[in-house]
Amino acid sequence: MRKKIVAGNWKMNKLHSEAFVLMRELEEALSKQTTAADVLVFPPYLYLQEIQSLASKIKVGAQNCHWEDVGAYTGEVSAAMLESVGVSYVIIGHSERRNYFNETNTLLSKKVLQALNHNLIPIFCIGETLEQRNSGKHFDVIKQQLNDALFHLTPANFSKVVIAYEPVWAIGTGVTATTEQAQEVHAYIRKVIKQQYSDSVANSISILYGGSCNAQNAKELFACADVDGGLIGGASLKPNDFLTIINSI
Ligand code: PGA
């Protein structure tokens, strides 16, 4: 059985007190129910530890990490530091990091190794732009991203990674991939993993969908055979919506 995961990426949202309110509301609601999925939240670095101190049902992760352990990298946070405060997940390769901070697959491959070396589970994001999809290159783009950033890993290490398929054209746009589009790409990702590693590795990897997933469409997306949950941006900032999404698994 593959692990089901619903993850909330808060991005650069919520002031300190707002972040607390959101986390408290989520924890309180989840304390009264069971969930079929692991629930994760990714607050800004600044609040990580405090949010973590409120976490009981929810696991807390970081939105990024550096590719080195220590050093003169002003403004950066290393995987070693995240490990030292008990963080267990890290998002790597989000399209916003790729676009606004010029993170390449080569760089991201180093970050993934760092995360794994420090016992963090990487949620590794891949996905095509609208232009790439419209020109029919989306499968090639995804294969290249997997190849360049992840396929250097040993099977044992690769098996620890969670993949998030996030078509760039669906992120924050309100345009969601159809269930057919999502399932098609998720099945393709699993096929490529199988070719590189094995059937059992491919079948054990959780592949999340991300991109305008919301309280209305989560259920049908999560019902797709190869969709193992979601990486949620905007809708994870609203407790009721996020809870509905969690309960859509
Ligand atoms: P969105 O973001 O749900 O707001 O589209 C998803 C993501 O960026 O992970």
Side-chain angles (χ1 to χ4, degrees):
M1 266 290 274
R2 288 194 292 273
K3 194 177 265 189
K4 304 283 183 191
I5 297 169
V6 176
N9 176 9
W10 295 0
K11 307 190 183 182
M12 197 174 72
N13 292 293
K14 300 285 180 191
L15 299 179
H16 184 254
S17 58
E18 297 166 340
F20 260 64
V21 170
L22 174 57
M23 185 65 175
R24 281 220 179 86
E25 283 189 41
L26 292 173
E27 276 291 347
E28 197 181 313
L30 292 175
S31 70
K32 298 184 191 129
Q33 62 158 92
T34 55
T35 56
D38 282 5
V39 180
L40 321 176
V41 295
F42 294 83
Y45 281 140
L46 196 55
Y47 319 142
L48 259 182
Q49 275 187 282
E50 282 179 280
I51 292 293
Q52 200 163 241
S53 71
L54 299 180
S56 155
K57 295 280 183 169
I58 301 175
K59 294 183 184 125
V60 179
Q63 296 174 18
N64 183 28
C65 70
H66 196 264
W67 65 87
E68 295 281 355
D69 266 353
V70 288
Y73 297 102
T74 303
E76 290 292 314
V77 172
S78 70
M81 291 171 179
L82 294 172
E83 182 187 33
S84 75
V85 297
V87 166
S88 45
Y89 286 83
V90 61
I91 297 174
I92 297 179
H94 192 282
S95 67
E96 288 149 15
R97 302 282 329 164
R98 292 174 187 263
N99 291 343
Y100 303 135
F101 302 95
N102 303 318
E103 296 194 354
T104 61
N105 286 319
T106 312
L107 175 95
L108 296 171
S109 71
K110 294 189 201 162
K111 290 192 174 198
V112 169
L113 258 187
Q114 269 295 321
L116 290 166
N117 285 342
H118 290 285
N119 301 310
L120 303 175
I121 299 175
I123 309 260
F124 192 81
C125 305
I126 56 177
E128 79 285 0
T129 62
L130 187 59
E131 196 191 348
Q132 288 163 339
R133 176 162 280 263
N134 286 342
S135 55
K137 294 194 188 124
H138 46 298
F139 292 118
D140 291 344
V141 168
I142 283 156
K143 189 172 191 174
Q144 190 84 44
Q145 289 170 333
L146 289 167
N147 197 56
D148 294 354
L150 293 182
F151 284 172
H152 62 296
L153 298 174
T154 61
N157 260 346
F158 183 82
S159 300
K160 296 176 191 154
V161 176
V162 173
I163 292 176
Y165 168 56
E166 299 205 301
V168 179
W169 46 271
I171 296 177
T173 58
V175 180
T176 318
T178 63
T179 50
E180 292 77 18
Q181 287 171 326
Q183 171 54 29
E184 185 183 38
V185 175
H186 282 233
Y188 176 75
I189 292 168
R190 223 178 280 289
K191 186 178 98 184
V192 174
I193 294 171
K194 182 179 154 180
Q195 286 162 355
Q196 177 71 21
Y197 292 98
S198 67
D199 242 341
S200 70
V201 170
N203 287 329
S204 69
I205 291 279
S206 297
I207 307 176
L208 315 183
Y209 169 80
S212 297
C213 181
N214 59 37
Q216 286 74 45
N217 60 30
K219 200 169 188 135
E220 58 174 16
L221 284 162
F222 296 168
C224 297
D226 287 292
V227 176
D228 303 308
L231 180 54
I232 320 297
S236 73
L237 302 172
K238 302 175 205 141
N240 288 340
D241 287 17
F242 193 51
L243 288 163
T244 303
I245 295 170
I246 292 164
N247 290 324
S248 301
I249 291 258

